[in-house]
């Protein structure tokens, strides 16, 4: 497709949508319109009234497990299969670009949209996001990884400035996007609504051009979040290609005017147009038919892989010995399986857990009774409902309480202000637990809920998150042991909301949210500050047991290593184990988290089977972002390679030393005394120079009084020199400063 035949007006017209969901066509130039549609866990195609908050109905499609569930699967295959299945449905609808996945980091458990994101950890988020995109794009349609960047809350999401230091951006908030872009080459990246350090993402040249394109090599198109554009011309110049939805032509005219006025180079417009035109090469003619049954069955399998068994005292689960069970709680009948907002799917069907529980119980000769326990619509009849529930719990071997959050409590568009389950549900769990022989709690929630107040009273807890339309059956599969649970927490369950590192700075005030915790997000904080949590990142039980052995680590260069470890299924049933590899270090001039997830994999093992796992750790596994040098740095020093059952339960570790990067920082008069003396090139020369000007007595005095040196260590050289009265001539200093950076800075 050649741009020469297009007028400036035509080119500008291609840079914004025709309507809510499609781009403009130019028939005479053979340019078709394409459709973009939500979303991250299913196709929300609206053939009737349109909106970006899931208010109007969409055409029926499969609602697969939302990212909160996929995150807990810790399984690339789950993410990849899900992406591919959504891709197949997109083909059926003729949708070219599907708006997902979301890889924003769960900075606070309160974020109303956490159900659409994978994890509090960037590696886990990035690996799963990349698998999703690759799965989908292999099928044909393009993906849109979102929301770029630092969109970690819903409160004032359209205007808040996320004030984040660059190290936290580079180490926590950008790497998931970086991985998706560099490994999976998504067709589009969606810029977020918020500002980053005061500059809106939609015209943030640093973000959209310097980082995304120049550093990461992104070649696709940037699309705005729906309505995110505030300054269109600045946006085009910054690399924001496609404004969605349309602006009725107003912003197209601004682009034309800017080019004519000479304030926007036409070649910049051309580059954006080329990237938008590339999207028209994606499939856009409806093809094939929706295989409703096959995709529902797949949704059930993927959901079961994502369920996390948090607690299981005395092998309460699986339900093999019970002869009478009571199922309590409206969520067993009216499942909550997806979140509110733009990702809201009109499912092809939904499975209620109670129906599948009854089927599986019947096969096993188990009787089932059901009671609502609480009302999802009003609080008025909760006492009566609770009494009925306690009555059936009293005559059962096991009571299963389905608790959770309703759409009213969490959604896109607003954040929660508490982690608590509704009071009526807490009271119900406590009363049932006090009566029933055994109590199991099954949770349905998009964001973390507190387990305090009832955790110790119950025998088992199944974290079901939001599992998509087949989630009810998947829960029943896990309860009866048809599927052995293998999900692990992708986010910490804290004891108290106040323990969360963002707590003092969430959701911000006066238009700013300050990411004051820096890189200490989620488990990085809990582990480093040794804050007790209810369940740590990475936690998840199984109906079998696993053993880790034979950890071997070899360095393969100054900043790389290979790791080999064996895992054995030591129990009696088939199961899947997540091998979690963490790196811990105190090396370097910056504060490092106690440990960080640097690799993981999920392995399926028959009883008695052992598997050897190999990991390759590249330099990023050891690096931190150095704000002085504006680059990744691997410090010379000691590193511990740790295999954890969870982030706080390390079962094997090996120490290695890395020579790391040779970095000679440029010294200035602002550099501290300690930086001058410890400089590998200049330090000894300086010491000699100083000693030469000192009397033997002065030298003896300074050797005998090391604390005096300590007192001046953090003093800038300029001030120090003023005190010691010009002990070093200005020319010598200039020479030493030039020498300080003379050696190559390699990283
Ligand atoms: C959301 C996006 C979504 C878009 C279109 C926005 O409100 O933030 O995630 O893709 O609407 O529905």
């Amino acid at each position: 497709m050649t741009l020469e035949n297009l007028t400036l007006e035509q080119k500008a017209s291609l840079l914004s949508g025709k309507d809510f969901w499609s781009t403009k066509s130019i028939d005479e130039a053979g340019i078709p319109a394409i459709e973009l549609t939500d979303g991250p866990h299913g196709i929300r195609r609206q053939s009737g009234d349109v909106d970006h908050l899931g208010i109007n109905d969409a055409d029926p499609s499969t609602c697969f497990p939302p990212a909160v569930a996929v995150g807990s699967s810790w399984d690339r295959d789950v993410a990849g299969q899900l992406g591919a299945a959504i891709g197949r449905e997109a083909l059926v609808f003729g949708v070219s670009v599907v708006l997902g996945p979301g890889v924003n980091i769960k900075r606070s458990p309160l974020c109303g949209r956490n159900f659409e994101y994978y994890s509090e950890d960037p590696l886990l988020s990035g690996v799963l996001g990349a698998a999703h995109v690759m799965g989908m794009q292999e099928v044909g349609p393009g993906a849109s990884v979102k929301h770029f960047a630092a969109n970690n809350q819903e409160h004032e999401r359209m205007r808040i400035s996320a004030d984040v230091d660059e190290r936290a951006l580079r180490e926590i908030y950008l790497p998931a996007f970086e991985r998706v872009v560099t490994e999976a080459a998504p067709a589009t990246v969606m810029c977020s609504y918020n500002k980053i350090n005061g500059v809106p993402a939609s015209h943030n040249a640093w973000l959209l051009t310097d980082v995304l394109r120049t550093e990461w090599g992104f070649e696709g198109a940037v699309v705005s979040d729906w309505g995110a554009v505030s300054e269109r011309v600045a946006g085009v110049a910054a690399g924001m290609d496609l404004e969605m939805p349309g602006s009725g032509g107003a912003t197209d005219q601004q682009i034309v005017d800017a080019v004519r006025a000479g304030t926007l180079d036409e070649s910049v417009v051309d580059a954006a147009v080329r990237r938008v035109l590339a999207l028209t090469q994606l499939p856009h003619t409806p093809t094939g038919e929706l295989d409703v049954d096959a995709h529902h069955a797949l949704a059930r399998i993927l959901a079961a892989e994502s369920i996390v068994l948090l607690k299981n005292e005395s092998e309460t689960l699986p339900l093999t010995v019970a002869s009478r069970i009571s199922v309590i709680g409206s969520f067993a009948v009216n499942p909550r399986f997806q979140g509110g907002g733009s990702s809201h799917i009109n499912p092809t069907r939904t499975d209620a857990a109670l129906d599948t529980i009854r089927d599986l119980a019947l096969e096993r000769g188990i009787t089932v009774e059901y009671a609502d326990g609480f009302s999802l619509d009003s609080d008025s009849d909760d006492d009566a409902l609770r009494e009925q529930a306690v009555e059936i719990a009293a005559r059962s071997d096991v009571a299963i309480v389905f608790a959770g959050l309703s759409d009213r409590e969490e959604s896109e568009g607003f954040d929660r202000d508490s982690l608590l389950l509704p009071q009526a549900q807490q009271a119900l769990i406590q009363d049932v637990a006090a009566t029933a022989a055994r109590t199991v709690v099954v949770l349905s929630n998009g964001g973390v809920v507190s387990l305090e107040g009832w955790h110790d009273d119950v025998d088992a807890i199944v974290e079901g998150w939001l599992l998509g339309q087949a989630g009810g059956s998947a829960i029943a599969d896990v309860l009866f042991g048809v599927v052995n649970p293998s999900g692990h927490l992708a986010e910490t369950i804290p004891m108290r909301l106040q323990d969360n590192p963002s707590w003092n700075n969430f959701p911000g005030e006066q238009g700013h949210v300050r990411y004051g915790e820096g890189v200490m997000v989620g488990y990085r904080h809990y582990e480093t500050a040794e804050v007790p949590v209810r369940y740590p990142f990475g936690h998840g039980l199984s109906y079998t047991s696993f053993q880790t052995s034979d950890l071997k680590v070899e360095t393969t260069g100054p900043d790389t290593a290979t790791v080999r470890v064996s895992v054995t299924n030591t129990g009696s049933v088939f199961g899947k184990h997540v091998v979690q590899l963490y790196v811990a270090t105190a090396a370097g001039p910056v504060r490092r988290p106690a440990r960080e997830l640097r690799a993981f994999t999920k392995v399926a093992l028959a009883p008695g089977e052992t598997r050897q796992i190999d990991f390759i750790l590249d330099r990023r596994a050891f690096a931190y972002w150095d704000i002085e040098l504006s680059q990744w740095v691997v410090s010379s020093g000691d590193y511990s390679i740790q295999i954890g059952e969870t982030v706080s339960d390390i079962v094997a570790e090996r120490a290695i030393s890395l020579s790391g990067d040779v970095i000679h920082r440029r010294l200035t008069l602002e550099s501290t005394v300690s930086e001058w003396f410890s400089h590998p090139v200049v330090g000894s020369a300086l010491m000699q120079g100083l000693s030469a000007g000192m009397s033997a007595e002065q030298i003896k005095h300074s050797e005998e009084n090391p604390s005096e040196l300590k007192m001046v260590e953090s003093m800038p050289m300029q001030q120090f020199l003023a005190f010691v009265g010009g002990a070093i001539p200005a020319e010598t200093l200039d020479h030493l400063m030039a020498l300080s950076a003379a050696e190559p800075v390699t990283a």
Side-chain angles (χ1 to χ4, degrees):
M1 212 155 314
T2 138
L3 294 192
E4 278 105 69
N5 304 329
L6 298 179
T7 64
L8 176 60
E9 281 74 7
Q10 283 176 318
K11 288 190 282 191
S13 78
L14 292 171
L15 300 185
S16 67
K18 175 177 71 184
D19 51 35
F20 216 79
W21 297 121
S22 46
T23 61
K24 298 190 193 101
S25 58
I26 303 181
D27 295 343
E28 58 274 30
I31 298 171
I34 59 151
E35 212 175 298
L36 302 88
T37 282
D38 286 306
H41 46 263
I43 300 293
R44 183 172 74 98
R45 181 164 186 275
Q46 295 181 311
S47 40
D49 290 342
V50 295
D51 68 276
H52 67 118
L53 290 172
I55 296 162
N56 297 300
D57 254 357
D59 301 341
S61 68
T62 311
C63 179
F64 290 99
V68 61
V70 178
S72 300
S73 77
W74 287 62
D75 191 340
R76 300 164 169 77
D77 288 346
V78 166
Q81 287 186 55
L82 184 144
I86 296 172
R88 288 193 292 274
E89 299 206 2
L91 288 181
V92 173
F93 288 111
V95 167
S96 302
V97 176
V98 187
L99 308 175
V103 298
N104 295 102
I105 294 298
K106 302 189 195 206
R107 175 176 176 249
S108 163
L110 297 178
C111 171
R113 225 172 164 181
N114 273 356
F115 72 90
E116 274 191 73
Y117 304 139
Y118 295 113
S119 176
E120 68 190 19
D121 180 80
L123 177 75
L124 187 51
S125 303
V127 167
L128 297 174
H132 176 124
V133 171
M134 285 189 274
M136 173 180 294
Q137 296 198 156
E138 271 163 25
V139 170
S144 192
V145 61
K146 64 189 188 183
H147 308 87
F148 191 53
N151 174 195
N152 309 98
Q153 63 186 60
E154 291 301 282
H155 176 76
E156 294 189 3
R157 67 172 167 156
M158 295 191 173
R159 67 156 208 185
I160 198 102
S161 174
D163 296 344
V164 203
D165 71 81
E166 189 167 357
R167 182 174 165 221
L169 276 171
R170 296 289 189 160
E171 293 188 27
I172 304 291
Y173 297 102
L174 297 182
F177 289 98
E178 180 181 2
R179 184 174 288 273
V180 174
V181 165
T182 55
E183 286 185 2
T188 72
V189 168
M190 184 191 289
C191 77
S192 56
Y193 288 120
N194 53 288
K195 304 180 184 102
I196 296 112
N197 295 321
V199 184
S202 68
H203 59 257
N204 195 315
W206 172 79
L207 187 71
L208 304 183
T209 296
D210 300 352
V211 174
L212 180 64
R213 292 200 164 97
T214 311
E215 285 185 36
W216 301 348
F218 179 63
E219 289 179 347
V222 174
V223 53
S224 71
D225 199 344
W226 265 231
V229 168
S230 53
E231 289 180 34
R232 185 59 186 121
V233 174
V236 176
M240 213 303 289
D241 305 316
L242 178 61
E243 173 184 6
M244 288 301 292
S247 66
T251 49
D252 304 346
Q253 189 57 46
Q254 290 171 10
I255 295 170
V256 171
D257 293 346
V259 173
R260 298 249 152 84
T263 51
L264 180 67
D265 202 302
E266 191 163 351
S267 65
V268 175
V269 175
D270 288 352
V273 171
R274 264 191 217 100
R275 293 190 289 253
V276 172
L277 284 180
L279 300 179
T280 64
Q281 303 299 308
L282 293 164
H284 49 264
T285 315
T287 318
E289 269 176 38
L290 200 65
D291 193 340
V292 172
D293 291 340
H295 277 189
H296 186 76
L298 177 65
R300 178 171 176 170
I301 292 168
L302 302 181
E305 295 294 311
S306 309
I307 292 168
V308 187
L309 180 61
L310 292 176
K311 176 176 182 179
N312 193 19
E313 295 293 302
S314 318
E315 297 184 355
T316 299
L317 294 175
L319 297 169
T320 44
V321 288
S323 60
R324 219 182 159 92
I325 61 178
S326 53
V327 175
I328 295 163
S330 313
F331 291 114
V333 177
N334 300 305
R336 172 131 192 279
F337 58 91
Q338 64 174 328
S342 62
S343 66
H344 204 267
I345 300 299
N346 180 10
T348 55
R349 69 176 71 138
T350 50
D351 288 358
L354 182 61
D355 294 338
T356 315
I357 288 174
R358 283 198 202 280
D359 291 347
L360 294 175
L362 192 67
E363 288 168 15
R364 291 161 175 76
I366 298 172
T367 60
V368 178
E369 281 192 280
Y370 171 77
D372 277 343
F374 55 88
S375 163
L376 283 174
D377 309 318
S378 81
D379 303 332
S380 54
D381 38 9
D382 280 337
D383 288 347
L385 292 173
R386 189 164 66 248
E387 275 165 33
Q388 284 167 16
V390 170
E391 224 176 279
I392 68 161
R395 50 177 187 257
S396 62
D397 303 316
V398 180
I400 308 171
V401 183
F402 282 76
L405 300 176
S406 68
D407 276 335
R408 265 187 302 157
E409 275 118 9
E410 57 177 359
S411 163
E412 175 177 343
F414 62 89
D415 298 317
R416 287 183 297 161
D417 53 18
S418 149
L419 297 183
L420 299 180
L421 282 175
Q423 182 50 40
Q425 295 186 36
Q426 294 183 52
L428 174 72
I429 295 171
Q430 280 161 339
D431 286 4
V432 168
T435 314
R438 296 273 181 95
T439 303
V440 178
V441 172
V442 177
L443 293 169
S444 300
N445 48 307
V448 160
V449 292
S450 170
L451 314 182
E452 303 316 303
W454 53 267
H455 172 273
D456 295 349
D457 304 337
V458 304
D459 301 280
I461 305 175
V462 175
E463 179 51 274
W465 303 115
L466 305 180
L467 290 169
Q469 67 180 50
S473 293
I475 288 170
D477 288 340
V478 163
L479 290 175
F480 285 91
V482 178
V483 173
N484 186 355
S486 63
H488 288 254
L489 290 179
E491 54 197 302
T492 310
I493 302 183
M495 290 283 193
R496 312 176 315 154
L497 176 60
Q498 300 92 305
D499 294 335
N500 181 268
S502 73
W503 186 69
N504 269 317
N505 287 305
F506 186 93
E509 52 219 7
Q510 301 191 317
H512 291 263
V513 51
R514 209 166 60 81
Y515 286 35
E517 69 283 6
V519 299
M520 298 295 175
V521 173
Y523 72 81
R524 285 168 167 78
H525 165 72
Y526 298 120
E527 286 301 306
T528 310
E530 298 179 1
V531 177
V533 300
R534 174 51 67 189
Y535 287 113
F537 176 83
H539 171 76
L541 304 175
S542 166
Y543 297 150
T544 188
S545 51
F546 300 97
Q547 202 178 359
T548 302
S549 58
D550 300 330
L551 173 62
K552 291 191 188 66
V553 183
E554 272 176 34
T555 52
T556 47
D559 53 8
T560 52
T562 53
V563 180
R564 173 164 285 185
V565 66
S566 294
V567 190
T568 306
N569 181 344
T570 51
S572 54
V573 290
F574 169 87
K576 293 184 181 173
H577 182 65
V578 175
V579 184
Q580 305 171 28
L581 187 157
Y582 297 90
V583 173
T585 186
V590 298
R591 180 109 173 230
R592 311 292 288 260
R595 63 182 60 87
E596 297 180 90
L597 184 73
R598 292 307 192 203
F600 66 91
T601 195
K602 198 170 191 178
V603 270
L605 295 168
E609 189 182 350
T610 298
R611 190 83 66 80
Q612 214 170 50
I613 315 290
D614 290 305
F615 294 108
I616 295 174
L617 297 178
D618 62 12
R619 57 176 272 111
R620 278 289 285 278
F622 305 102
Y624 72 92
W625 180 264
D626 190 296
I627 55 165
E628 281 178 12
L629 299 170
S630 266
Q631 66 182 45
W632 294 103
V633 169
V634 175
S635 291
S636 156
D638 298 333
Y639 294 78
S640 170
I641 311 299
Q642 309 179 330
I643 304 294
E645 296 288 297
T646 75
V647 71
S648 53
D649 180 12
I650 301 305
V651 292
E653 67 182 303
R654 295 283 176 275
I656 55 170
S657 286
L658 294 177
S659 52
D661 300 338
V662 181
I663 300 239
H664 295 165
R665 281 169 209 271
R666 178 181 284 281
L667 293 172
T668 67
L669 292 180
E670 259 246 312
S671 304
T672 64
V673 169
S674 137
E675 284 163 355
W676 274 83
F677 281 116
S678 63
H679 193 280
V681 177
V682 168
S684 53
L686 178 70
M687 187 55 110
Q688 277 166 17
L690 265 185
S691 319
M694 285 160 85
S695 66
E697 210 164 300
Q698 280 173 314
I699 294 177
K700 188 160 176 273
H701 175 84
S702 68
E703 280 170 2
E704 282 169 1
N705 296 281
S707 62
E708 284 182 12
L709 185 62
K710 193 145 190 60
M711 283 197 292
V712 296
E713 266 177 2
S714 67
M715 199 182 259
M717 186 50 102
Q718 185 148 21
Q719 277 79 357
F720 177 71
L721 289 175
F723 282 114
V724 296
I728 310 171
E731 317 80 73
T732 312
L733 281 172
D734 286 346
H735 171 70
L736 291 177
M737 284 191 280
L739 201 64
S740 69
E743 288 291 314
V745 175
T746 43

